[in-house]
Amino acid sequence: MEKIAASLMCADMLNIQKELDYLEQAGCDLLHLDVMDGVFVDNLALGPEWMTSVQKKTSLPFDIHLATEMPEKFVEMFRFLQPETISFHVETAAHPVLLIKRLKSYGIKPSLALNPATPLEDILPYIDEVDQILLMTVPTGFAGQNFHQETLEKLRELKNILAQRNIQPLIEVDGNINTQTISWMKEAMPDVFVLGTSALFQCDDANSYQKRIQAVRQAINTYR
């Protein structure tokens, strides 16, 4: 069963309680939270105090993406929130295996994040140990970017490798995910779909959110 994750960096921050209520009513499965340090990417986003306030206002589980250098430090900053998943970029970790083990010891599912420009080979030594792989279909850092078509081949190759190894980490996709780009993934359908400005946000009411999420689920089931 597919999971729909709403990217909160795309939400109306001045009306976040309303946004959270609408997402819950619409049947969203996860809240995707991008942590950016201004070093690994040229942007800043979503600190632990803000996430603490959000967590008090929703029952939806957190899916945290560390778009940062030194993910070891940021894991310690965010682990008290007990997110369902924390993703980190393998090139930023001093010892990826040790960080994966640390996340598991905290009861958090480890996930590897992969930018379009990062070779798939970089994560292959670690994919047997993680619960999820976050495949970015745009470069990490900013909302509103165009989908990178070359990531479709990377998605197909990843699916084949997982099948060959007989392992089943979830594949999550993030970056301009909508009904059209989902149709392009029909040869290798992911499991978790992060929705942002192109498919979900900027709605006026809960019913609009529900219709958009239903349209995405229908597209997934059509092309699966």
Side-chain angles (χ1 to χ4, degrees):
M1 178 66 179
E2 77 280 351
K3 290 186 177 181
I4 302 298
S7 179
L8 277 198
M9 70 175 287
C10 303
D12 180 355
M13 295 300 185
L14 296 181
N15 294 285
I16 195 65
Q17 181 64 75
K18 180 185 73 174
E19 296 276 54
L20 294 170
D21 291 344
Y22 286 173
L23 292 170
E24 286 200 34
Q25 293 169 38
C28 180
D29 301 300
L30 299 164
L31 297 178
H32 184 81
L33 298 145
D34 291 293
V35 178
M36 304 182 192
D37 62 355
V39 180
F40 183 66
V41 295
D42 295 330
N43 200 357
L44 295 169
L46 307 187
E49 292 185 3
W50 184 82
M51 287 193 200
T52 300
S53 298
V54 168
Q55 197 171 58
K56 292 176 181 178
K57 303 296 184 180
T58 183
S59 62
L60 293 174
F62 283 6
D63 171 40
I64 295 178
H65 171 202
L66 299 179
T68 69
E69 296 290 340
M70 296 187 292
E72 298 85 356
K73 178 180 74 173
F74 286 90
V75 163
E76 296 305 314
M77 291 172 60
F78 289 91
R79 71 182 180 95
F80 75 95
L81 293 165
Q82 279 298 292
E84 181 169 306
T85 306
I86 290 183
S87 300
F88 68 93
H89 291 259
V90 68
E91 64 267 37
T92 66
H95 302 286
V97 172
L98 294 180
L99 185 53
I100 289 168
K101 289 180 178 179
R102 187 189 303 180
L103 286 166
K104 289 181 177 180
S105 74
Y106 295 155
I108 299 169
K109 295 176 181 177
S111 171
L112 295 171
L114 194 65
N115 269 324
T118 305
L120 182 57
E121 289 74 19
D122 287 7
I123 67 167
L124 295 187
Y126 316 106
I127 61 173
D128 293 81
E129 305 299 326
V130 298
D131 292 277
Q132 181 176 279
I133 297 164
L134 169 57
L135 185 65
M136 297 299 303
T137 52
V138 303
T140 300
F142 294 91
Q145 300 182 69
N146 291 327
F147 188 98
H148 281 226
Q149 292 276 345
E150 68 271 17
T151 60
L152 294 172
E153 177 56 35
K154 188 178 289 187
L155 175 60
R156 288 191 290 268
E157 186 178 352
L158 177 59
K159 292 278 282 191
N160 288 335
I161 291 170
L162 297 182
Q164 290 168 8
R165 295 195 183 187
N166 195 27
I167 54 176
Q168 296 181 319
L170 298 179
I171 298 177
E172 180 176 34
V173 288
D174 181 11
N176 197 237
I177 304 300
N178 53 51
T179 54
Q180 180 183 31
T181 57
I182 287 169
S183 73
W184 300 341
M185 303 178 197
K186 59 186 177 182
E187 295 179 12
M189 193 61 66
D191 307 288
V192 185
F193 300 79
V194 179
L195 306 185
T197 51
S198 70
L200 182 59
F201 286 100
Q202 301 175 0
C203 289
D204 297 325
D205 53 46
N207 189 49
S208 298
Y209 277 89
Q210 187 174 34
K211 287 181 178 178
R212 291 189 178 187
I213 288 177
Q214 286 177 342
V216 168
R217 290 196 193 277
Q218 183 176 355
I220 294 166
N221 292 326
T222 297
Y223 297 109
R224 187 181 296 282

